[in-house]
Amino acid sequence: MLVLAVESSCDETAAAVVADGGKVLSNVVASQVEIHARYGGIVPEIASRKHIEAIGPVVSEALEKAGIASSGVEGVAVTRGPGLVGSLLVGLSFAKAFAFARDLPLVGVNHLEGHIAAIFLTDHPPVFPFVALVVSGGHTNIYLVRGVQEFKILGQTRDDAAGEAFDKAAKLLGIGYPGGVVIDRLAKDGDRNWWPFPRAMRESLDFSFSGLKTSLVTALKKRAFREGELPDLVASYQEAIVDVLVSKTIEAAHREQVKTIVVCGGVASNSRLRERFKENAVAAGVEVLVPPPSLCTDNAAMIAVVGNWLLEAGRRNGLDLNAVSRWPLDERCDQ
Ligand code: KG4
Ligand code: ZN
């Protein structure tokens, strides 16, 4: 089935055309990063307005790049949550209108499931069951994935998400937005053992990152670091995040006796996280699969994969489909 997918849950307006849930014909992402960078974080009201401006041209570009007319689309998938409701509504309204005008089936997709599904667009798709780490700006969750739409939550953050920990640190240090990208780059030349940042909740599969930010504030107070030490500081900070993400996910795979781990979401594009997973996987006897960075950060191709599964299974949503800010993967959403 030729699926047009639309994604607008945060600050990226995205559209993609994917054939049979596996062949990406186009994957267009219009980022608002430069606008929000001025404020050091996403301003929801601005995000919604920018989505409204971008959605039409982004969908047209996706169709054009795929080399199909809108009449060639066979089904429409759209992110309905979790995310910023004002942003979600723009994509949702557009997708509904597109489907209604052409009498096409429409289905709403969970953004987190989309992140996990991105791995099915690679040359090495996993077989079920596997453990998935979804690590983004809003979520840090470990799941056991038993099959399509069969999730069991194994661990989650009790406070900030890992992406938030990156973004908040970068804001505190005044080094730019989004923090993960800037820290990833700066940390490459840094000493990862320069400062002993804490690793919280060692015994649990749950995460806590809010203390890490506090310890960064404390570190800055204790020691006035010189500019040349910035790479060391951020490399140590990044290592603390990476350490807990890697060790808890591998521990989850051991506990569930699963041999495959999928790492996804914006933070999965972090080069040190990818490197550490690769290193530790060998010793742990597990296989770690990570999509390429362009499929880790928000995009619509990943939404099309789930959309295709659901549409092929006969799932349909009506024009009353609503946006939801919160939608745990292991809960049905009948709203
Ligand atoms: O999945 P995503 O694009 O959007 C959400 O669903 O949240 O993730 C965005 C998050 C941001 O917090 C950003 O700082 C982080 O992903 N991120 C990174 C990197 N690239 C993006 N974090 C660490 N290293 C990166 N290279
Ligand atoms: Zn995301």
Side-chain angles (χ1 to χ4, degrees):
M1 182 183 275
L2 215 49
V3 173
L4 168 72
V6 172
E7 151 67 43
S8 67
S9 65
C10 197
D11 61 344
E12 255 102 33
T13 320
V17 179
V18 177
D20 303 322
K23 188 161 184 275
V24 182
L25 302 184
S26 65
N27 192 16
V28 179
V29 181
S31 175
Q32 304 177 2
V33 149
E34 278 170 32
I35 299 151
H36 298 290
R38 267 180 255 158
Y39 306 94
I42 296 163
V43 185
E45 176 59 29
I46 296 177
S48 314
R49 274 188 272 146
K50 290 292 160 192
H51 281 306
I52 293 172
E53 288 170 21
I55 189 81
V58 164
V59 170
S60 300
E61 193 183 333
L63 292 171
E64 204 172 296
K65 283 198 168 144
I68 60 161
S70 58
S71 57
V73 175
E74 293 170 308
V76 181
V78 60
T79 307
R80 72 172 296 208
L84 301 168
V85 168
S87 290
L88 287 162
L89 280 173
V90 178
L92 212 54
S93 309
F94 192 96
K96 282 184 200 172
F98 190 98
F100 179 68
R102 293 161 186 83
D103 201 18
L104 292 171
L106 170 80
V107 75
V109 171
N110 185 305
H111 181 79
L112 303 175
E113 189 175 6
H115 272 305
I116 296 171
I119 199 68
F120 290 92
L121 292 170
T122 66
D123 294 338
H124 297 285
V127 283
F128 299 110
F130 57 85
V131 159
L133 171 69
V134 183
V135 67
S136 69
H139 296 87
T140 304
N141 299 337
I142 304 176
Y143 301 97
L144 173 66
V145 187
R146 294 196 186 100
V148 173
Q149 300 220 299
E150 283 183 60
F151 302 100
K152 181 182 160 200
I153 186 107
L154 303 174
Q156 57 196 312
T157 183
R158 303 254 176 109
D159 40 55
D160 292 348
E164 240 176 313
F166 276 112
D167 296 338
K168 284 181 176 175
K171 192 170 182 180
L172 204 72
L173 294 166
I175 53 175
Y177 172 87
V181 180
V182 186
I183 290 177
D184 190 356
R185 198 177 55 234
L186 278 171
K188 285 199 165 73
D189 305 317
D191 172 5
R192 298 189 284 262
N193 300 313
W194 186 79
W195 194 265
F197 285 108
R199 274 71 166 158
M201 307 187 62
R202 282 176 194 271
E203 301 308 316
S204 160
L205 292 182
D206 280 349
F207 301 93
S208 170
F209 291 109
S210 66
L212 193 56
K213 197 194 70 183
T214 312
S215 66
L216 174 62
V217 176
T218 313
L220 293 176
K221 275 190 194 146
K222 272 196 194 152
R223 178 167 171 179
F225 73 99
R226 284 169 305 204
E227 205 170 315
E229 289 170 329
L230 182 62
D232 301 332
L233 179 71
V234 296
S236 305
Y237 187 86
Q238 173 175 271
E239 199 66 10
I241 298 175
V242 166
D243 232 8
V244 290
L245 292 176
V246 172
S247 59
K248 284 172 192 278
T249 310
I250 290 179
E251 172 62 21
H254 283 326
R255 286 191 198 178
E256 296 298 327
Q257 300 184 329
V258 162
K259 289 281 170 219
T260 307
I261 289 173
V262 170
V263 188
C264 57
V267 180
S269 54
N270 183 273
S271 53
R272 180 65 185 151
L273 184 70
R274 300 169 81 92
E275 186 179 73
R276 275 290 302 278
F277 259 119
K278 250 189 215 142
E279 284 171 13
N280 292 39
V282 181
V286 291
E287 171 191 41
V288 177
L289 305 174
V290 195
S294 62
L295 291 174
C296 288
T297 45
D298 287 350
N299 66 87
M302 67 186 197
I303 303 301
V305 178
V306 182
N308 185 71
W309 288 338
L310 300 178
L311 290 167
E312 293 281 1
R315 285 272 281 278
R316 304 284 183 267
N317 285 117
L319 295 179
D320 56 349
L321 182 67
N322 211 350
V324 283
S325 60
R326 193 184 158 276
W327 182 3
L329 260 188
D330 48 350
E331 281 177 23
R332 271 188 67 106
C333 195
D334 296 323
Q335 280 170 289

